[in-house]
Amino acid sequence: MNSDNLIKANNLLRKKLTSENQKYYEDLLTYIRGKSTFNREKDVEQLLLEILHDLIDAQNNGQNAEDYFGKNPQTLADEILQTLPKSFFETFKLACYILIGYVLLFATPNIVLPTSNLDFGKLIILGTISFVFSLVVLWLIGQETYQKNKLMHSVGLALGGRS
């Protein structure tokens, strides 16, 4: 099963959770996805689906997510992330997507206008900066999930996080 199918299955199965368990799981999911930038997407999504199946089984047996997984989901998520292998290829692929997207977005006006100059060096440097910025945003989204600090929570919300 590819990553897209795993995500679709995850989205469908999440509807079976109670609202309390769904909040717990979605926070866990957001944290893991935000922190798993250097892991293979398929591995992460398979793991999240396994966790969801375990949670649904526990819920069917009368347990809630806190009783089953514990009261500190951030620690659980960090332990889970340590077990996943790092993938240079996935990181490289993400960098290429961001770089190509940046180049297409900002080179198009230069290509359309014949009198403007196209500086590939500048595009590559700024594309690389965009990649680093994207990694920081993903890291902040992951950090914001279990953040108690109101300043970090506000920064996460400003960058598009949830309330």
Side-chain angles (χ1 to χ4, degrees), residues 111-134:
I111 293 170
V112 173
L113 298 172
T115 58
S116 43
N117 295 332
L118 185 60
D119 185 355
F120 283 110
K122 181 179 176 184
L123 283 175
I124 291 173
I125 290 171
L126 292 176
T128 303
I129 291 170
S130 297
F131 171 67
V132 171
F133 178 75
S134 299

Side-chain angles (χ1 to χ4, degrees), residues 73-160:
Q74 183 176 1
T75 304
L76 171 70
D78 287 336
E79 290 172 4
I80 289 169
L81 287 170
Q82 288 177 355
T83 64
L84 292 174
K86 302 293 183 211
S87 172
F88 173 76
F89 179 72
E90 289 292 318
T91 307
F92 181 72
K93 191 168 75 170
L94 177 64
C96 288
Y97 286 147
I98 292 171
L99 184 63
I100 290 169
Y102 182 86
V103 168
L104 288 176
L105 181 69
F106 289 100
T108 303
N110 290 330
I111 293 170
V112 173
L113 298 172
T115 58
S116 43
N117 295 332
L118 185 60
D119 185 355
F120 283 110
K122 181 179 176 184
L123 283 175
I124 291 173
I125 290 171
L126 292 176
T128 303
I129 291 170
S130 297
F131 171 67
V132 171
F133 178 75
S134 299
L135 290 180
V136 169
V137 168
L138 286 172
W139 179 81
L140 282 173
I141 289 170
Q143 281 297 109
E144 181 267 335
T145 304
Y146 297 116
Q147 193 57 249
K148 303 294 184 218
N149 182 334
K150 290 182 181 183
L151 175 64
M152 283 299 291
H153 185 71
S154 299
V155 169
L157 289 175
L159 291 174

Side-chain angles (χ1 to χ4, degrees), residues 7-23 25-26 29 49 52-53 55-56 59-60:
I7 292 169
K8 286 176 186 175
N10 193 314
N11 291 337
L12 288 174
L13 284 175
R14 252 187 292 163
K15 294 176 184 175
K16 294 182 178 182
L17 296 174
T18 64
S19 60
E20 179 185 337
N21 287 345
Q22 189 171 14
K23 166 107 175 77
Y25 177 75
E26 286 178 352
L29 176 133
L49 196 57
L52 181 57
H53 281 291
L55 181 55
I56 290 171
Q59 179 178 288
N60 291 337

